[in-house]
């Protein structure tokens, strides 16, 4: 068996070991020698497989403490994306469509939890106001925009949603930070309109406001592409 095949087999066996033993994020893996014997692979192959899985975010090495199962994150996925995604306008429409579908689709769920969401929505309103103030001063507000979208769904208590928002945001900021603002309506106002609809318990209106927000982004994205 070729060296590359051996290491890939070790990688598969290590993944299977984690799944079959029901290991969870934070659980420690056996010492290298014991794990290699359990998987019936050489320590060298195991070492290479574990380094590969660390790159993928499946496991993590803690200096002096060994290997542990890592918490799920899209960060490794983002870091492995083609460099072409960093080009302004690259795959922007596909990204906007995916983000829009998820975020607009989540509006009814957020609305159903608006009592529990009250504090988060109040925070989102403050963030939207800060966006408007920064935009009027000509300052960057990407960090505030990111916090707004993360805070909006935090009460759902859904780690997958949170990870997807992080993923979409990381991708979007690569291609969208250079998108110009709209002279007719600043982005803070568009975000605030979403919050007000949710606070009013109107899921249909909140969904419509979210669609309007993404329509505005598309208009500005076209301006960016026209300048290229």
């Amino acid at each position: 068996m070729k060296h590359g095949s051996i290491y890939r087999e070790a990688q598969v066996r290590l993944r299977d070991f984690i799944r079959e033993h029901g290991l969870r994020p934070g659980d420690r893996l056996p010492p290298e020698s014991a794990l290699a014997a359990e998987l019936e692979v050489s320590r060298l192959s195991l070492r290479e497989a574990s380094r590969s899985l660390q790159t993928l975010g499946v496991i993590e090495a803690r200096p002096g403490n060994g290997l542990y199962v890592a918490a799920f994150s899209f960060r490794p996925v983002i870091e492995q994306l083609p460099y072409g995604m960093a080009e302004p306008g690259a795959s922007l429409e596909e990204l906007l469509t995916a983000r829009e579908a998820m975020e607009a689709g989540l509006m009814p769920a957020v609305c159903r939890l608006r009592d529990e969401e009250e504090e988060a929505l109040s925070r989102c309103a403050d963030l939207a106001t800060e966006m408007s103030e920064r935009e009027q001063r000509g300052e960057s507000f990407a960090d505030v925009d990111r916090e707004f979208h993360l805070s909006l769904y935090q009460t759902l208590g859904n780690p997958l949603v949170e990870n997807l928002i992080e993923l979409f945001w990381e991708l979007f900021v690569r291609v969208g930070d250079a998108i110009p603002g709209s002279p007719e309506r600043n982005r803070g106002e568009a975000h605030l309109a979403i919050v007000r609809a949710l606070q009013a318990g109107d899921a249909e209106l909140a969904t419509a406001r979210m669609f309007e927000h993404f329509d505005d982004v598309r208009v500005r994205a076209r301006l960016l592409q026209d300048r290229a």
Side-chain angles (χ1 to χ4, degrees), residues 82-104:
Y83 287 108
M85 284 300 296
E87 294 296 325
S91 303
L92 185 56
E93 179 58 34
E94 291 91 339
L95 179 58
L96 285 173
T97 298
R99 266 195 70 184
E100 178 184 49
M102 187 179 77
E103 296 207 45

Short mmCIF file of all heavy atoms in Angstrom, two decimals, residues 82-104:
data_model
loop_
_atom_site.label_atom_id
_atom_site.label_comp_id
_atom_site.label_asym_id
_atom_site.label_seq_id
_atom_site.Cartn_x
_atom_site.Cartn_y
_atom_site.Cartn_z
N PRO A 82 -10.87 28.31 -1.73
CA PRO A 82 -9.99 28.83 -2.79
C PRO A 82 -9.76 30.33 -2.62
O PRO A 82 -10.64 31.07 -2.18
CB PRO A 82 -10.78 28.54 -4.07
CG PRO A 82 -11.73 27.45 -3.71
CD PRO A 82 -12.07 27.67 -2.26
N TYR A 83 -8.58 30.76 -3.00
CA TYR A 83 -8.26 32.18 -2.88
C TYR A 83 -9.17 33.04 -3.75
O TYR A 83 -9.32 34.23 -3.51
CB TYR A 83 -6.80 32.43 -3.26
CG TYR A 83 -5.83 31.95 -2.21
CD1 TYR A 83 -5.06 30.82 -2.43
CD2 TYR A 83 -5.71 32.62 -0.99
CE1 TYR A 83 -4.17 30.36 -1.46
CE2 TYR A 83 -4.83 32.17 -0.02
CZ TYR A 83 -4.05 31.04 -0.26
OH TYR A 83 -3.19 30.61 0.70
N GLY A 84 -9.76 32.45 -4.77
CA GLY A 84 -10.65 33.20 -5.65
C GLY A 84 -11.82 33.82 -4.91
O GLY A 84 -12.38 34.82 -5.35
N MET A 85 -12.20 33.21 -3.76
CA MET A 85 -13.32 33.76 -3.00
C MET A 85 -12.98 35.12 -2.42
O MET A 85 -13.85 35.85 -1.99
CB MET A 85 -13.70 32.80 -1.87
CG MET A 85 -14.47 31.58 -2.32
SD MET A 85 -16.03 31.98 -3.12
CE MET A 85 -16.91 32.76 -1.78
N ALA A 86 -11.70 35.44 -2.37
CA ALA A 86 -11.29 36.73 -1.79
C ALA A 86 -11.41 37.87 -2.79
O ALA A 86 -11.28 39.04 -2.43
CB ALA A 86 -9.85 36.64 -1.28
N GLU A 87 -11.67 37.55 -4.06
CA GLU A 87 -11.77 38.60 -5.07
C GLU A 87 -13.12 39.31 -4.98
O GLU A 87 -14.16 38.65 -4.88
CB GLU A 87 -11.61 37.99 -6.47
CG GLU A 87 -10.23 37.43 -6.74
CD GLU A 87 -9.17 38.51 -6.71
OE1 GLU A 87 -9.47 39.65 -7.13
OE2 GLU A 87 -8.06 38.23 -6.23
N PRO A 88 -13.15 40.65 -5.00
CA PRO A 88 -14.42 41.37 -4.94
C PRO A 88 -15.36 40.90 -6.04
O PRO A 88 -15.00 40.83 -7.20
CB PRO A 88 -14.00 42.83 -5.15
CG PRO A 88 -12.58 42.88 -4.66
CD PRO A 88 -11.99 41.55 -5.05
N GLY A 89 -16.58 40.57 -5.66
CA GLY A 89 -17.59 40.17 -6.63
C GLY A 89 -17.60 38.69 -6.95
O GLY A 89 -18.54 38.20 -7.58
N ALA A 90 -16.56 37.93 -6.51
CA ALA A 90 -16.49 36.52 -6.86
C ALA A 90 -17.58 35.75 -6.12
O ALA A 90 -17.66 35.78 -4.90
CB ALA A 90 -15.11 35.96 -6.48
N SER A 91 -18.42 35.06 -6.87
CA SER A 91 -19.48 34.22 -6.31
C SER A 91 -20.41 34.99 -5.37
O SER A 91 -21.04 34.40 -4.51
CB SER A 91 -18.88 33.02 -5.56
OG SER A 91 -18.06 32.26 -6.42
N LEU A 92 -20.49 36.29 -5.53
CA LEU A 92 -21.27 37.11 -4.61
C LEU A 92 -22.75 36.80 -4.67
O LEU A 92 -23.42 36.72 -3.64
CB LEU A 92 -21.01 38.60 -4.89
CG LEU A 92 -21.67 39.59 -3.93
CD1 LEU A 92 -21.27 39.29 -2.49
CD2 LEU A 92 -21.29 41.01 -4.30
N GLU A 93 -23.29 36.62 -5.87
CA GLU A 93 -24.72 36.36 -6.00
C GLU A 93 -25.09 35.04 -5.34
O GLU A 93 -26.12 34.95 -4.65
CB GLU A 93 -25.12 36.34 -7.48
CG GLU A 93 -26.60 36.04 -7.71
CD GLU A 93 -27.53 37.03 -7.01
OE1 GLU A 93 -27.17 38.22 -6.92
OE2 GLU A 93 -28.60 36.59 -6.56
N GLU A 94 -24.25 34.01 -5.52
CA GLU A 94 -24.53 32.72 -4.89
C GLU A 94 -24.52 32.85 -3.37
O GLU A 94 -25.36 32.29 -2.66
CB GLU A 94 -23.49 31.68 -5.32
CG GLU A 94 -23.58 31.28 -6.79
CD GLU A 94 -22.72 32.14 -7.68
OE1 GLU A 94 -22.36 33.26 -7.27
OE2 GLU A 94 -22.41 31.68 -8.80
N LEU A 95 -23.55 33.60 -2.87
CA LEU A 95 -23.44 33.81 -1.42
C LEU A 95 -24.63 34.57 -0.87
O LEU A 95 -25.21 34.21 0.16
CB LEU A 95 -22.14 34.56 -1.12
CG LEU A 95 -21.85 34.89 0.34
CD1 LEU A 95 -21.82 33.62 1.18
CD2 LEU A 95 -20.53 35.63 0.46
N LEU A 96 -25.04 35.63 -1.57
CA LEU A 96 -26.19 36.41 -1.14
C LEU A 96 -27.47 35.57 -1.13
O LEU A 96 -28.28 35.67 -0.20
CB LEU A 96 -26.38 37.62 -2.05
CG LEU A 96 -25.41 38.78 -1.86
CD1 LEU A 96 -25.61 39.83 -2.95
CD2 LEU A 96 -25.58 39.40 -0.48
N THR A 97 -27.64 34.75 -2.14
CA THR A 97 -28.84 33.90 -2.23
C THR A 97 -28.90 32.93 -1.05
O THR A 97 -29.96 32.74 -0.45
CB THR A 97 -28.85 33.12 -3.55
OG1 THR A 97 -28.90 34.05 -4.64
CG2 THR A 97 -30.06 32.19 -3.63
N ALA A 98 -27.77 32.33 -0.72
CA ALA A 98 -27.73 31.38 0.39
C ALA A 98 -28.00 32.07 1.72
O ALA A 98 -28.78 31.59 2.55
CB ALA A 98 -26.38 30.66 0.42
N ARG A 99 -27.34 33.21 1.94
CA ARG A 99 -27.56 33.96 3.19
C ARG A 99 -29.00 34.42 3.32
O ARG A 99 -29.62 34.33 4.38
CB ARG A 99 -26.63 35.18 3.24
CG ARG A 99 -25.33 34.96 3.96
CD ARG A 99 -24.65 36.28 4.27
NE ARG A 99 -25.37 37.05 5.28
CZ ARG A 99 -25.02 38.27 5.68
NH1 ARG A 99 -23.99 38.88 5.12
NH2 ARG A 99 -25.71 38.90 6.60
N GLU A 100 -29.53 34.96 2.23
CA GLU A 100 -30.90 35.47 2.23
C GLU A 100 -31.90 34.37 2.57
O GLU A 100 -32.80 34.56 3.40
CB GLU A 100 -31.21 36.08 0.87
CG GLU A 100 -32.63 36.61 0.74
CD GLU A 100 -32.89 37.12 -0.67
OE1 GLU A 100 -32.58 36.38 -1.63
OE2 GLU A 100 -33.40 38.23 -0.81
N ALA A 101 -31.72 33.21 1.95
CA ALA A 101 -32.66 32.11 2.18
C ALA A 101 -32.65 31.70 3.65
O ALA A 101 -33.71 31.45 4.24
CB ALA A 101 -32.29 30.92 1.29
N MET A 102 -31.47 31.61 4.25
CA MET A 102 -31.41 31.18 5.63
C MET A 102 -31.94 32.25 6.58
O MET A 102 -32.78 31.97 7.45
CB MET A 102 -29.98 30.82 6.02
CG MET A 102 -29.92 30.20 7.43
SD MET A 102 -28.26 29.72 7.95
CE MET A 102 -27.59 31.31 8.38
N GLU A 103 -31.47 33.49 6.42
CA GLU A 103 -31.84 34.52 7.38
C GLU A 103 -33.32 34.90 7.27
O GLU A 103 -33.99 35.10 8.29
CB GLU A 103 -30.93 35.74 7.23
CG GLU A 103 -29.47 35.41 7.55
CD GLU A 103 -28.71 36.62 8.05
OE1 GLU A 103 -29.24 37.36 8.91
OE2 GLU A 103 -27.57 36.82 7.59
N ALA A 104 -33.83 35.00 6.07
CA ALA A 104 -35.26 35.29 5.92
C ALA A 104 -36.09 34.13 6.45
O ALA A 104 -37.12 34.33 7.10
CB ALA A 104 -35.59 35.56 4.45
#
